[in-house]
Amino acid sequence: SGEFVLAALKPHGKTLGIIFADNRYNGAPIGADQLDYFGFFIDQTALVWENLALLRRVEDLARHDALTGVLSRRELEARMAAELARCQRHGRPCSAVLLDVDYFKRINDGQGHAAGDELLRRLGALLRAAVRADDVAGRFGGDEFLVVMPEADREEAMRAAERLGRLAGESGISLSVGGASWPRDCQAVEGLFGIADEALYRAKREGRGCLCFPGEAPVRFDQPAR
């Protein structure tokens, strides 16, 4: 037993934690000088803790797109490079899928930017819920999103991309989707994104609302699943 001090870390009135202290080794009474030092320690600890929490929030905002909640383009590109390098190093496949909202400009022009933003929020939430835990999903720009699928071969990536397109359609969001897999669709892993981008534009030329992979027939989301 003996004397002890219990203090709350409350910078700006917000409780961040509690600190307990006592003279564990000799059980001596806690003097005024020790209380003064403890008070100073509490103030400094609260300040450091608050700054660290603020730094974590800032870092999280930098890593994620504020509107959709998926990764920002900068973080997405960094994570993609890391995953591609890892798959190449271990000789494992990797796939990339690009998703573009069909006629997004019409939605903004006809219903207003608030409606366009809400659609992107819903698509971001769908991606966060539907991709695998190891997949990397982010907003590449505007209404275009990218999903990197480490260790997913062509067949796995096509199934996942078709599922995303159909889930979006069920939510009232029409997508054009293009994908590619390394090493099946490109010799150099650095070329994966470009091949997927070509497949996306092919999906748009095919009438939108569909999925394209190199050498595969388009898969339309408004038709029965294969």
Side-chain angles (χ1 to χ4, degrees):
S1 55
E3 294 185 357
F4 64 89
V5 178
L6 189 66
L9 297 173
K10 297 182 64 174
H12 308 299
K14 181 180 179 180
T15 301
L16 297 178
I18 296 175
I19 291 183
F20 170 88
D22 64 0
N23 282 331
R24 172 177 296 183
Y25 297 105
N26 59 24
I30 299 174
D33 290 344
Q34 291 172 308
L35 285 175
D36 288 342
Y37 177 79
F38 188 70
F40 173 78
F41 174 78
I42 289 293
D43 291 341
Q44 294 302 306
T45 300
L47 180 61
V48 170
W49 200 338
E50 183 183 33
N51 287 339
L52 288 174
L54 178 61
L55 179 62
R56 284 194 296 270
R57 288 196 295 271
V58 171
E59 290 177 341
D60 186 66
L61 288 173
R63 287 194 299 267
H64 291 84
D65 177 64
L67 179 63
T68 63
V70 296
L71 295 180
S72 66
R73 175 165 178 168
R74 181 176 179 180
E75 181 70 13
L76 176 62
E77 290 178 335
R79 294 277 294 277
M80 180 178 185
E83 291 297 345
L84 289 177
R86 184 179 64 82
C87 288
Q88 184 179 39
R89 186 166 59 250
H90 296 290
R92 302 294 299 165
C94 189
S95 297
V97 173
L98 278 164
L99 308 94
D100 191 275
V101 178
D102 293 330
Y103 307 111
F104 185 67
K105 188 176 185 300
R106 292 184 187 177
I107 297 172
N108 277 337
D109 292 345
Q111 303 178 40
H113 289 281
D117 286 350
E118 177 56 29
L119 184 150
L120 294 179
R121 287 192 195 94
R122 289 193 287 118
L123 181 55
L126 184 152
L127 289 176
R128 295 198 309 274
V131 300
R132 303 176 308 171
D134 293 334
D135 291 342
V136 179
R139 186 180 180 189
F140 195 75
D143 59 327
E144 190 169 270
F145 294 76
L146 171 65
V147 181
V148 181
M149 303 178 180
E151 304 194 23
D153 60 21
R154 162 80 77 83
E155 289 71 23
E156 291 173 303
M158 286 193 68
R159 286 196 299 271
E162 182 177 352
R163 178 170 173 266
L164 288 174
R166 293 190 184 281
L167 285 173
E170 292 170 2
S171 300
I173 303 172
S174 177
L175 295 178
S176 294
V177 182
S181 297
W182 176 85
R184 180 165 177 176
D185 297 319
C186 54
Q187 292 183 343
V189 70
E190 295 81 7
L192 180 62
F193 178 86
I195 301 297
D197 196 37
E198 291 175 5
L200 171 62
Y201 278 92
R202 180 182 161 216
K204 293 180 179 181
R205 292 194 300 270
E206 293 285 349
R208 305 176 188 257
C210 66
L211 162 69
C212 285
F213 266 69
E216 301 283 350
V219 176
R220 301 212 59 85
F221 301 132
D222 58 358
Q223 294 179 357
R226 296 172 299 172

